[in-house]
Amino acid sequence: MKDIILFDGVCNLCHRGVQFIIKRDRHDRFRFASLQSETASRYLPKKTESAFGDSIVLIEASGEISTASTAVIKISRRLYRIYFLTAVFLLVPKPFRDACYRIIARNRYRWFGKKDACPLPSPEQRNKFLD
């Protein structure tokens, strides 16, 4: 089983982030689905599903769920030529990292824009997406 990354399917920043990850996922570790998808509702605990609405979610093959800055760091550590940069962020306390993450998450539509619908993946990337 692959690690699954759930992202906001209508967010331009999130879409660019997914494209960034795909280009650097040399070991084919990740699969993707939007937070608005059936896949997300199958994997996220029902009572907390809405709590993940403004966060990237990493569901590891082990079943562990990470969100916000922790998810970003864990994803980055698995990417080609990026992993070494994450060591710096591990020195920053989690409450501060998550506070910075929340500021970006709250303003992402205003700063980066929003799509009307989740864009379809290219034919070459189709196997990377669930649902």
Side-chain angles (χ1 to χ4, degrees):
M1 182 172 164
K2 307 285 185 182
D3 293 343
I4 298 170
I5 298 173
L6 302 176
F7 63 98
D8 181 348
V10 297
C11 169
N12 285 335
L13 175 64
C14 302
H15 176 72
R16 286 186 213 135
V18 167
Q19 295 305 310
F20 180 89
I21 293 166
I22 289 172
K23 286 180 184 174
R24 289 157 183 82
D25 184 16
R26 296 276 170 99
H27 298 289
D28 194 33
R29 293 180 172 148
F30 300 110
R31 292 297 176 262
F32 303 88
S34 76
L35 283 163
Q36 298 87 353
S37 71
E38 286 293 318
T39 298
S41 61
R42 279 196 307 271
Y43 282 98
L44 296 178
K46 294 295 178 209
K47 58 185 166 194
T48 58
E49 195 173 312
S50 62
F52 297 123
D54 67 347
S55 180
I56 190 167
V57 178
L58 172 65
I59 303 170
E60 296 181 69
S62 66
E64 185 177 339
I65 297 175
S66 301
T67 62
S69 66
T70 301
V72 171
I73 290 171
K74 285 183 173 186
I75 292 165
S76 298
R77 292 177 76 185
R78 294 176 175 102
L79 296 178
Y80 180 70
R81 292 190 177 175
I82 302 296
Y83 63 91
F84 65 91
L85 296 175
T86 61
V88 173
F89 293 108
L90 291 173
L91 299 174
V92 178
K94 184 179 179 339
F96 182 75
R97 286 191 332 248
D98 281 347
C100 293
Y101 183 95
R102 282 191 302 276
I103 290 168
I104 295 168
R106 264 195 316 267
N107 293 291
R108 69 189 184 277
Y109 296 145
R110 188 172 6 154
W111 294 345
F112 301 99
K114 181 178 176 181
K115 299 184 182 311
D116 292 330
C118 186
L120 294 174
S122 69
E124 301 83 35
Q125 296 177 346
R126 192 134 190 86
N127 67 329
K128 297 264 191 194
F129 289 83
L130 306 172
D131 250 20

